[in-house]
Amino acid sequence: MSISLILLPLAVATVTAAHTARADRDERGRVVCQVQTRMRDENLLAAALRDTDAVVTADADVLTADWSGVRADFRRDADGIWTAHLTGEVDDARAVEIVQGVDAAYGRQVQRAVLERLRAQAPAAGLRLESEQVTEDTSVRLVFAVEGRSA
């Protein structure tokens, strides 16, 4: 089976009132689903795909993810909106589930990148990391102390 997903950025999805996923058929009868996503950065997307146990290959215009029995080709259009075309042992519900799993992994990659940037830039901003706590919902609380400066 072959399914194409249009991955709408959350801001666009909100404006267009898209709900979690919508499925339609294109002019050739193929299933096309629209799924809300926050994916923007190609490197973070590749890392997120690897986190979902996909074997990832990158070509000039496409990121390909291979799982057991399913292949997804991720492409971005001129507006920066990703499309995922899934083939193999997949139906529309499974396709949406896969993309939502990738989106969750992408969120973890974004969180990791932001935390690394905060840790790296804190000293230059006169801050010292005093504590770090990961909560049950996997959010992270960082407590910084302002390094003393004489006036």
Side-chain angles (χ1 to χ4, degrees):
M1 180 173 230
S2 173
I3 297 173
S4 292
L5 300 172
I6 299 168
L7 309 178
L8 297 175
L10 287 175
V12 171
T14 301
V15 170
T16 61
H19 295 19
T20 303
R22 293 189 323 220
D24 293 310
R25 297 211 177 253
D26 69 6
E27 63 280 350
R28 293 191 276 175
R30 296 179 301 184
V31 175
V32 177
C33 297
Q34 294 185 4
V35 180
Q36 295 178 10
T37 182
R38 61 188 136 206
M39 293 183 262
R40 298 172 90 181
D41 183 287
E42 186 173 335
N43 294 321
L44 293 178
L45 175 55
L49 290 167
R50 287 185 196 93
D51 282 353
T52 64
D53 296 325
V55 175
V56 179
T57 55
D59 201 349
D61 297 333
V62 64
L63 275 177
T64 300
D66 284 297
W67 297 272
S68 180
V70 178
R71 169 173 274 191
D73 290 329
F74 290 80
R75 287 183 166 76
R76 194 172 5 207
D77 68 13
D79 296 324
I81 295 176
W82 288 96
T83 300
H85 183 75
L86 287 85
T87 55
E89 301 167 11
V90 63
D91 60 10
D92 57 337
R94 178 72 178 125
V96 170
E97 178 184 315
I98 288 170
V99 171
Q100 288 174 334
V102 171
D103 185 64
Y106 185 89
R108 291 187 295 275
Q109 288 295 325
V110 169
Q111 181 184 47
R112 190 172 301 136
V114 168
L115 288 170
E116 287 173 9
R117 193 169 39 239
L118 284 171
R119 287 184 199 109
Q121 294 175 356
L127 301 173
R128 183 183 74 253
L129 180 62
E130 285 197 333
S131 69
E132 182 173 331
Q133 176 187 10
V134 178
T135 64
E136 283 185 29
D137 68 353
T138 69
S139 61
V140 178
R141 175 186 291 169
L142 302 176
V143 176
F144 290 95
V146 178
E147 295 284 282
R149 294 186 187 188
S150 37

